[in-house]
Amino acid sequence: MITAGPRLVIAIFVGWGFVATPVVAQEWCEWSLEETLRIGSIDGPDALSPVAALDVGPEGGVYLAQNFVTEVWVFGPDGEVSGTIGRAGQGPGEFTLTLLDLGWRADTLWVSDFGGTYFFDRHGAPERQVRFDVFVPDESGRFTPRVPLADGTFLAERAVAGDIGGFFSRDRLPILRFSPEGEIVDTLAVVDSEPSVQVGTGFARHPLAQGITPDVAPTPDGSAVVLVGEVREEDGSASFDLLRLGIDGDTLVQRSIPYEPRPITQDERDLFTEAFIEGRSDPQAARDAITFPEYHRPVRRIVAGHDDSIWLLRELDLANRVDLWEVYDAAGELEGRVKVRQGETRGDRAPWSQRLDLLRATRDEAWGVTADEFDVPYLHRFRVHRDC
């Protein structure tokens, strides 16, 4: 159903050749995105909860995993509600907790919640499920299956447990691969931890953190993961490594991407600090505890495209209220840029939030979620016009 919601105007800028960011004296070709479908309403049958994941099925249906919802919602290609898959419970095809993720592999739909990963045929009938709940003391975490990989192993959902202080004080975290029985198969990569703040004896998420664990994007076919490797911030020669790693451990792509580090301004530090201390029992202790790095991280989020493209959400640009997505090909060559401007807003509650939460992307079509001033989610589909 195409309903009223926040209006989106987004431009894609595509350059010829591999260049640093920002670009000076570089010729660019501007593409455009046309919104072709919008799903969502305040109180209708398509009123959405926060959308965690989306995929398009073999027959063009749209499948959604939503927070606080224990069933998959299915919409037809026209946006009309067409049904659900699963329900709350403990039996076959039933979900125990809020949904986290989903995706299609050929004729099989997989869906994950905090308890396990469940597999359905193309008609929505349950086929099998994988469950484990493994406490790994050395990693200060409990792990449950989340993303099935091409060889039958799993990337896991991590919940912090055990030595919480030890977890948050780490500079690096391993990305582990698990068997269906919950045994650690190997470590795919070791990546920088998300920033946190120690306030007294407790720990809190830093405003610059995107989540508890670092962003590692599995490819839709489950054969590889995409991530950012080493970041080098030297003046005049700053760069970061864009990596695609096969699940067998092979490095398929390692591309050094030059960039211009963006300092975290004092105004930004003040804004982040005030948001961090709001509502805390000892705001002065929280104010004294929070610190900031010198620069914004070069990449905030990664989406592995369904056509081997790689989409990177670049540095926060709080002053201009712009989200910049860069699109790379399978070899790590820059192909295009997508600017999401002020107006496609998630409101001023957290002005550093993404304007558009990109969920699924190819060079021809993109799906994403926005929220209006009342925090009502809307799902959007866009057609990419490559006119030049």
Side-chain angles (χ1 to χ4, degrees):
M1 180 181 298
I2 302 178
T3 61
R7 184 175 182 271
L8 300 186
V9 180
I10 302 174
I12 299 184
F13 300 90
V14 179
W16 294 276
F18 181 73
V19 294
T21 303
V23 177
V24 179
Q26 171 71 33
E27 186 177 10
W28 294 97
C29 172
E30 182 174 342
W31 294 359
S32 63
L33 290 182
E34 175 191 1
E35 185 181 39
T36 58
L37 183 67
R38 189 179 307 178
I39 298 173
S41 63
I42 295 177
D43 55 7
D46 61 344
L48 304 175
S49 294
V51 180
L54 170 149
D55 207 357
V56 177
E59 298 177 357
V62 182
Y63 295 74
L64 298 185
Q66 301 172 81
N67 297 150
F68 318 117
V69 177
T70 51
E71 58 190 12
V72 175
W73 284 19
V74 185
F75 295 83
D78 59 356
E80 295 289 342
V81 177
S82 65
T84 60
I85 294 175
R87 61 183 180 181
Q90 299 286 335
E94 295 180 337
F95 307 117
T96 57
L97 297 165
T98 181
L99 301 188
L100 288 173
D101 214 340
L102 60 73
W104 278 93
R105 300 275 172 77
D107 287 339
T108 298
L109 172 69
W110 62 267
V111 186
S112 295
D113 64 10
F114 282 103
T117 300
Y118 313 85
F119 297 85
F120 300 84
D121 67 18
R122 67 182 300 148
H123 304 295
E127 293 183 329
R128 64 186 180 96
Q129 61 185 25
V130 173
R131 291 177 177 269
F132 58 76
D133 185 355
V134 180
F135 174 49
V136 183
D138 291 345
E139 300 302 334
S140 304
R142 302 192 71 91
F143 297 84
T144 55
R146 176 159 180 168
V147 180
L149 300 175
D151 63 353
T153 60
F154 287 81
L155 294 181
E157 179 71 11
R158 181 198 291 261
V160 180
D163 182 7
I164 297 176
F167 173 85
F168 283 106
S169 63
R170 295 184 183 187
D171 294 327
R172 307 272 284 171
L173 283 177
I175 305 302
L176 303 176
R177 191 161 62 100
F178 288 82
S179 73
E181 294 73 36
E183 300 173 341
I184 297 176
V185 175
D186 58 21
T187 299
L188 283 177
V190 180
V191 295
D192 290 340
S193 302
E194 289 288 291
S196 61
V197 183
Q198 182 173 358
V199 183
T201 59
F203 291 84
R205 179 175 168 179
H206 196 286
L208 293 176
Q210 299 301 303
I212 296 296
T213 55
D215 192 13
V216 175
T219 57
D221 65 0
S223 66
V225 296
V226 181
L227 64 149
V228 170
E230 183 180 357
V231 177
R232 296 165 288 272
E233 297 179 339
E234 297 85 356
D235 289 342
S237 60
S239 63
F240 63 87
D241 288 339
L242 177 60
L243 301 173
R244 185 194 294 265
L245 306 177
I247 58 175
D248 57 2
D250 289 343
T251 299
L252 307 176
V253 175
Q254 182 172 0
R255 191 83 177 184
S256 179
I257 311 295
Y259 80 106
E260 184 72 28
R262 178 174 292 157
I264 300 177
T265 67
Q266 187 58 53
D267 286 345
E268 290 172 336
R269 293 167 191 255
D270 293 342
L271 177 64
F272 294 141
T273 299
E274 294 307 313
F276 180 73
I277 69 174
E278 184 178 0
R280 298 193 178 273
S281 58
D282 190 344
Q284 187 57 51
R287 184 186 299 275
D288 293 340
I290 191 169
T291 61
F292 296 90
E294 183 176 359
Y295 300 109
H296 287 285
R297 67 179 67 188
V299 176
R300 291 191 283 158
R301 185 154 173 257
I302 308 168
V303 173
H306 279 62
D307 57 356
D308 288 332
S309 59
I310 300 171
W311 295 62
L312 303 183
L313 178 61
R314 294 300 306 271
E315 301 93 336
L316 177 67
D317 186 358
L318 194 58
N320 295 313
R321 305 295 298 276
V322 172
D323 279 358
L324 173 63
W325 287 89
E326 290 186 339
V327 185
Y328 294 81
D329 67 15
E333 292 280 0
L334 179 64
E335 289 191 340
R337 290 178 170 180
V338 180
K339 283 190 174 181
V340 182
R341 294 181 170 85
Q342 184 176 2
E344 304 82 38
T345 180
R346 295 179 65 86
D348 292 325
R349 304 170 309 285
W352 54 88
S353 297
Q354 296 172 222
R355 299 288 153 254
L356 175 72
D357 186 6
L358 188 67
L359 298 175
R360 188 183 194 275
T362 69
R363 296 172 183 85
D364 299 314
E365 185 177 86
W367 292 82
V369 174
T370 64
D372 66 12
E373 63 271 24
F374 304 108
D375 212 24
V376 175
Y378 291 86
L379 174 65
H380 310 265
R381 182 184 67 197
F382 305 98
R383 178 183 298 119
V384 179
H385 287 285
R386 298 179 291 195
D387 299 327
C388 54

